[in-house]
Amino acid sequence: MNWTLEVVPVPVTDMDRAKAFYTEKAGFKLDLDDEVAPGVRIIQMTPPGSRCSIALLQGMPPFPGERAMAPGTLQGLQVCVTDIEAAREELTGRGVDVSPIRHVGATGWEEGKGDTWNSFMSFTDPDGNGWMVQEAPSELSAR
């Protein structure tokens, strides 16, 4: 049996502001914006080419035994691209504040591209949820 990661909830304070950021600035595709039950709104968006989406939730009670995440506490979500310079240019062109491209070197994080699988950049959404972008050597279907 396959276990596929398909949706990651992202805690935000303002659903419409976050929706605008992810669709207009980060370039995610809007899959759903619906009130699925009285007072429960779900906005689901997917990064280009990804099989995993993010979900913004309003009015959804935590699943029994789970704790609610505060807006801005989700850190380290990672997406991969095959050309990190082009991805950085695209994001900055849309107004996203993106870190310089960095790699892990002998002294920790160092500026500039690294070897295969060792080039990263980061950005945050309006609430402070943190994203990492990593350069992959090829598209997922070719790995």
Side-chain angles (χ1 to χ4, degrees), residues 12-103:
V12 299
T13 54
D14 183 321
M15 299 271 284
D16 292 314
R17 178 182 70 170
K19 175 184 170 183
F21 173 82
Y22 284 107
T23 58
E24 297 167 17
K25 294 194 175 202
F28 288 23
K29 178 184 168 282
L30 178 65
D31 303 320
L32 172 76
D33 183 349
D34 198 15
E35 186 176 47
V36 297
V40 179
R41 180 181 178 197
I42 297 176
I43 300 174
Q44 184 170 313
M45 296 164 283
T46 305
S50 180
R51 291 188 57 196
C52 186
S53 302
I54 64 168
L56 312 178
L57 309 170
Q58 185 175 56
M60 175 82 85
F63 195 75
E66 288 188 356
R67 292 174 288 169
M69 288 185 289
T73 59
L74 190 59
Q75 300 296 312
L77 288 175
Q78 187 167 315
V79 293
C80 289
V81 297
T82 56
D83 185 337
I84 200 159
E85 285 111 342
R88 188 175 191 286
E89 193 173 302
E90 184 177 320
L91 288 171
T92 58
R94 290 184 178 154
V96 178
D97 184 16
V98 184
S99 75
I101 295 169
R102 297 183 172 112
H103 67 280

